[in-house]
Amino acid sequence: MSAPAKPRHVLFVGAAVLDTLFRVRSIPARPCKVLPDEMLQVAEGMASSAAYAAVRLGGMASLWAAVGDDAAGQQITSELADAGINVEGVLQAAGARSAVSTILIDDDGERLIVPFYDKRLHHEIRDVTPGDLAGFDAVMVDVRWPALAVKVLRAARQAGMPAILDGDVAPAAALDMLAAEGDHLLFSEPAAHLLSDSPDPAEAAAILKRRYPHALVAVTAGEHGCYWWNEAAGAVAHVATFPVKAVDTLAAGDIFHGAYALLTAEGLAAQEAIRMASAAAALKCTVFGGRLGAPDRAAVLALMSGH
């Protein structure tokens, strides 16, 4: 489980967002004025945070995303580059505004997210061939740029490398289109419910495996762990989460996905990749600041050895 001598390189495709985080005592249930205890801005988003997780664990990460031709876009690109992510593939969309969001995080680590995505960000869609993916060991896409993501997944499978989907909440048609092209499908609990019509993550994993028999299927369920279809056993398996005191769950799923993508590129078996990714996500939850809480490999291995 230590990092290989030659770091694996994963391509991440999807969201790049400038988040403004406010730490509050509790998330209000009705309109009011809330005075936060802490505030920070951080460039992140599903694919971007996953890429950062891979870098923190000793891998290499490139990002294909889109930002606007505005100050927020410059800040997003600069911060992610400073974080060690290759941003040469980040598109600056003329006339578009960069994605931004405001997030409240309470004392239990739960959050309220208000995102804004300009539809003009994703008008330009590049062609993608297997040759364009030369030099990568795996790809992971999120659901925020499906027209590009589906091309990347298809090209990755043609190239014979892991094609991984971060299947979060999106229109059902878009989720289904992407799942049909990926060979590692990691669904959030709400997305799994949307596609399977089952509120039980274990049952949803079984239903989705029947729907997408070509792929490894997993459903992440936060503090309740991860349910995935074990081909060898012919049944749903469960990997428990690691108990921690959560102070910020923002980006925990993204950290899980980025870790899983890198570990899969390194050749780890599904159960071990899921367990290690779960440890990375748990450690992230102990730190306020979204993706900034992504742990390094030594911290992940230390947590695992203690359990």
Side-chain angles (χ1 to χ4, degrees):
M1 290 183 290
S2 58
K6 180 183 178 182
R8 301 298 187 260
H9 193 173
V10 182
L11 171 63
F12 295 88
V13 180
V17 187
L18 184 60
D19 284 346
T20 303
L21 280 55
F22 295 99
R23 187 167 187 173
V24 298
R25 303 299 297 178
S26 61
I27 295 173
R30 60 182 182 178
C32 63
K33 181 180 289 186
V34 180
L35 298 179
D37 296 321
E38 194 171 352
M39 172 269 186
L40 65 82
Q41 280 192 323
V42 57
E44 46 189 5
M46 297 163 67
S48 301
S49 297
Y52 183 62
V55 170
R56 289 285 289 155
L57 292 174
M60 298 171 62
S62 292
L63 177 68
W64 289 2
V67 298
D69 55 353
D70 52 17
Q74 295 174 9
Q75 183 174 345
I76 291 168
T77 305
S78 176
E79 280 192 25
L80 295 177
D82 289 345
I85 300 167
N86 184 319
V87 296
E88 293 177 3
V90 174
L91 169 71
Q92 186 180 76
R97 289 179 288 176
S98 295
V100 297
S101 67
T102 297
I103 303 169
L104 303 183
I105 301 170
D106 69 14
D107 281 349
D108 293 323
E110 296 302 327
R111 71 271 194 213
L112 173 67
I113 305 175
V114 183
F116 170 76
Y117 291 92
D118 189 335
K119 294 180 179 178
R120 295 171 295 180
L121 278 174
H122 298 149
H123 279 180
E124 182 180 336
I125 308 295
R126 60 176 290 178
D127 289 328
V128 183
T129 68
D132 295 322
L133 304 182
F136 298 117
D137 299 295
V139 304
M140 166 167 273
V141 308
D142 68 29
V143 296
R144 294 293 173 253
W145 198 351
L148 177 60
V150 70
K151 292 185 176 184
V152 172
L153 290 174
R154 190 173 297 141
R157 291 184 70 190
Q158 291 171 358
M161 67 179 65
I164 306 163
L165 170 64
D166 173 357
D168 202 1
V169 174
L175 269 174
D176 183 61
M177 174 185 70
L178 294 172
E181 297 295 343
D183 55 20
H184 293 253
L185 310 180
L186 309 180
F187 295 102
S188 68
E189 196 171 3
H193 184 192
L194 177 66
L195 286 180
S196 70
D197 202 31
S198 173
D200 178 74
E203 182 182 44
I207 293 171
L208 293 173
K209 177 60 183 179
R210 291 194 294 270
R211 184 166 177 172
Y212 308 109
H214 64 281
L216 181 145
V217 173
V219 178
T220 57
E223 64 184 4
H224 301 296
C226 179
Y227 298 85
W228 64 287
W229 184 266
N230 185 325
E231 293 281 3
V236 173
H238 178 248
V239 175
T241 191
F242 291 79
V244 295
K245 168 56 180 172
V247 300
D248 176 10
T249 60
L250 180 67
D254 306 329
I255 302 308
F256 177 98
H257 295 128
Y260 179 90
L262 177 65
L263 297 167
T264 298
E266 292 178 0
L268 264 68
Q271 179 158 335
E272 200 55 45
I274 290 170
R275 185 167 183 266
M276 196 166 173
S278 297
L283 286 170
K284 185 261 101 48
C285 291
T286 65
V287 179
F288 173 74
R291 71 159 172 91
L292 300 181
D296 62 19
R297 191 175 291 241
V300 170
L301 294 178
L303 178 62
M304 293 174 67
S305 67
H307 292 79

